[in-house]
């Protein structure tokens, strides 16, 4: 999967989570001791994807790490499609695997999707 990049759509607040996302994006909520984002990064990297971009919006300053970022500055008034469009300029000639920031998966799942 060397010519595949991953884009994690993480711009929204996750308002249905109410108070849990009052101060941080939904992808930073913990599951089994690690954030949802951490689970995703681990699964993607274990499947061989190193080129990972996170589309930020709500509390963008909290989404930093060993991944690239692009910002959806209009996250409050747009949707996942607009967030994906924010990442398109980074694509180049690579294939793209798109993930929502609140879905946890294992490396095996990523590998099956790329077959």
């Amino acid at each position: 999967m060397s010519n595949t990049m991953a884009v994690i759509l993480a711009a929204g607040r996750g308002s249905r989570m109410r108070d849990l996302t009052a101060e941080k994006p939904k992808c930073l909520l913990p599951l089994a001791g690690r954030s949802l984002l951490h689970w995703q990064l681990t699964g993607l990297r274990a499947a061989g994807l190193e080129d990972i971009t996170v589309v930020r919006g709500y509390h963008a300053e909290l989404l930093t790490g060993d991944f690239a970022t692009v910002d959806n500055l209009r996250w409050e008034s747009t949707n996942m499609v607009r967030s994906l469009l924010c990442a398109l300029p980074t694509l180049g000639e690579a294939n793209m695997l798109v993930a929502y920031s609140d879905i946890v998966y294992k490396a095996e799942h990523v590998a099956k999707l790329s077959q």
Side-chain angles (χ1 to χ4, degrees):
M1 281 209 252
S2 59
N3 195 30
T4 301
M5 72 173 290
V7 175
I8 300 173
L9 304 177
R13 175 180 173 196
S15 59
R16 288 179 291 216
M17 302 298 289
R18 301 188 193 269
D19 291 345
L20 293 174
T21 59
E23 311 231 349
K24 62 185 166 190
K26 181 169 44 173
C27 66
L28 294 181
L29 294 177
L31 174 68
R34 301 187 322 186
S35 73
L36 295 172
L37 181 60
H38 186 270
W39 284 106
Q40 286 192 343
L41 294 169
T42 299
L44 291 167
R45 291 195 174 111
L49 278 85
E50 293 296 326
D51 188 359
I52 301 170
T53 298
V54 175
V55 182
R56 309 179 305 175
Y58 177 68
H59 278 299
E61 72 281 1
L62 299 177
L63 294 175
T64 60
D66 55 345
F67 46 84
T69 61
V70 295
D71 293 337
N72 178 354
L73 300 177
R74 296 176 49 213
W75 66 270
E76 284 185 280
S77 62
T78 61
N79 59 24
M80 297 279 191
V81 174
R82 177 67 184 144
S83 288
L84 180 58
L85 291 174
C86 291
L88 285 183
T90 67
L91 182 58
E93 297 296 316
N95 296 317
M96 183 187 323
L97 185 146
V98 179
Y100 296 142
S101 67
D102 59 351
I103 298 174
V104 176
Y105 42 80
K106 296 181 180 180
E108 306 88 80
H109 303 139
V110 176
K112 285 183 181 182
L113 286 172
S114 65
Q115 293 178 344

